[in-house]
Amino acid sequence: MTLRELLIERIRATGPLTFAEFTQVSLYHPQLGYYARSAQRSGIHGDFFTSVDVGPVFGELLAAQLLEMSRLLRQAGAEYVDLVEAGAGNGRLSADILGFLRRTSPGECERIRLHLVEASDSARRAQAQVLGSHSKQVVCSSERLPEHIHGVVFANELLDAMPAHLVLMREDGLRELVVDLAGSRLVPREATPSRPEIAETLARTGARLGIGWRAEVSIAAIEWMRDAAASLDRGFLLIIDYGHEAPDRYSAGHASGTLRSYRRHMVDPPPARPNASGPADDLEAVLNEPGERDLTAHVDFTAVGLAAEGAGLQLLGFTDQTYFLLGLGLAQYLGESSSASVSDLRRRLALKTLMLPGGLGSTHKVMVYGKGVGRPELRGFSYRMRIT
């Protein structure tokens, strides 16, 4: 049975699915889901690019920040530091980080206990090979966060892949778009919001949707932030992802929402702005080939930030990835790669990819929260809280 057939069968048996449910099955079904069937989905041979795909330099720069955090915790008396990567995939980013730390700070590196959190069985099976000699530092690899963490939790492009509810504002109030059937086609239909938390989240962030505007609300991302805060006994939570704060996230510039489907580096044509009364037929492209396409929605940084602070975390910094990496020494890396060799040319290209406006540098934001660590001035935020 294909995933499409499974979804059709489920809808016929129990009724329409929310877009959050559709996304959960499409991406994370244990056998047929998008992430379940391959250990790696990004890169030139995949469907999309991430900062990790430009080479090890991203992990090396991130390692500088993690090293500072580790030393702060060690100064406070920690014998070992937990390093928890959420959404770890096959472990490439952790391998790049540990490789740099082993070369530059072997003593600190030996005191790191690595935890990999990943939903995909195939990705978890690939971790030992990708990590190589670093595998000895892996304490666990599982689908869930450890219950007690004394260290750093970090997640690169995790929240954007979490299931989100899709809503539409009509003249008579908020509606939710669900996935239903028209014969054998998967189609969007309007329904009463399935959970009160949807409207509550929009109200909490101050979102004001115009008539005909669409938006995504990820209750899953909010719940994950609360879970991470609860698991963190003491330390830092570092989030890197693309998205916006609420005033921009719910604005005329995003009136058609941010839900997108990717395959082979091609995005489905951006949906046209829905009108005030017609159906959202343009969303059918997103429903094509479940399990074959990546589905993402931009992160609402206001919503997840409120969840973190409500769970006892303290914001230590929020900035563009460009400024974060500059604070960690990106400019020095550019200066060091000054020869005309092929390796240096590739390195400079990778560095520019991470920082150029309009690319990964400005679309991606970095937010760091602390718990029981005071308010240290972290290197990554030495350019202060600058957002473009």
Side-chain angles (χ1 to χ4, degrees), residues 103-124:
R103 294 192 303 272
T104 60
S105 304
E108 288 290 338
C109 185
E110 289 301 316
R111 296 185 179 94
I112 287 176
R113 302 188 300 189
L114 182 63
H115 307 255
L116 301 174
V117 183
E118 173 55 46
S120 167
D121 286 338
S122 60
R124 290 202 304 273

Side-chain angles (χ1 to χ4, degrees), residues 3-248:
L3 189 58
R4 180 183 177 83
E5 291 169 337
L6 185 150
L7 285 163
I8 290 172
E9 184 178 274
R10 178 172 168 181
I11 292 170
R12 284 174 176 163
T14 62
L17 302 173
T18 66
F19 263 81
E21 292 170 326
F22 173 81
T23 302
Q24 179 67 37
V25 175
S26 296
L27 296 183
Y28 301 109
H29 185 280
Q31 287 81 43
L32 304 173
Y34 177 80
Y35 289 115
R37 295 181 297 101
S38 177
Q40 183 176 323
R41 286 293 191 176
S42 64
I44 192 169
H45 300 297
D47 295 320
F48 53 89
F49 280 107
T50 72
S51 296
V52 183
D53 296 307
V54 304
V57 64
F58 177 70
E60 293 172 2
L61 287 164
L62 188 57
Q65 182 60 84
L66 297 174
L67 178 61
E68 181 184 34
M69 292 171 171
S70 175
R71 284 173 171 163
L72 287 169
L73 289 165
R74 293 263 299 127
Q75 289 170 8
E79 183 178 358
Y80 294 94
V81 174
D82 295 313
L83 186 60
V84 183
E85 183 181 2
N90 62 10
R92 281 190 304 157
L93 180 54
S94 284
D96 291 341
I97 290 169
L98 290 181
F100 178 80
L101 293 179
R102 183 171 291 180
R103 294 192 303 272
T104 60
S105 304
E108 288 290 338
C109 185
E110 289 301 316
R111 296 185 179 94
I112 287 176
R113 302 188 300 189
L114 182 63
H115 307 255
L116 301 174
V117 183
E118 173 55 46
S120 167
D121 286 338
S122 60
R124 290 202 304 273
R125 287 194 296 269
Q127 287 169 355
Q129 180 178 356
V130 172
L131 284 164
S133 61
H134 304 304
S135 294
K136 65 181 182 179
Q137 290 181 253
V138 177
V139 175
C140 68
S141 176
S142 72
E143 296 183 37
R144 299 181 180 278
L145 289 164
E147 290 186 6
H148 296 283
I149 300 166
H150 195 107
V152 184
V153 181
F154 69 103
N156 180 54
E157 294 194 41
L158 170 69
L159 300 185
D160 69 273
M162 290 193 169
H165 295 266
L166 189 57
V167 297
L168 173 66
M169 182 59 73
R170 293 301 192 193
E171 290 186 1
D172 58 351
L174 193 67
R175 303 285 287 170
E176 182 168 6
L177 289 167
V178 298
V179 182
D180 203 354
L181 295 176
S184 60
R185 290 185 303 123
L186 295 167
V187 298
R189 297 199 191 282
E190 294 182 31
T192 302
S194 59
R195 299 178 61 173
E197 296 96 325
I198 297 171
E200 291 168 2
T201 298
L202 291 171
R204 193 179 305 118
T205 62
R208 296 291 183 267
L209 301 181
I211 304 301
W213 292 12
R214 273 204 307 259
E216 303 81 22
V217 179
S218 181
I219 306 300
I222 291 170
E223 292 175 342
W224 186 87
M225 292 292 284
R226 291 171 178 160
D227 290 342
S231 296
L232 189 63
D233 294 333
R234 185 178 189 181
F236 302 88
L237 173 61
L238 189 158
I239 302 294
I240 304 174
D241 224 314
Y242 55 91
H244 318 272
E245 293 181 275
D248 186 21

Side-chain angles (χ1 to χ4, degrees), residues 286-298:
V286 176
L287 304 180
N288 287 337
E289 302 177 313
E292 300 293 332
R293 295 175 177 271
D294 184 36
L295 299 175
T296 73
H298 292 194

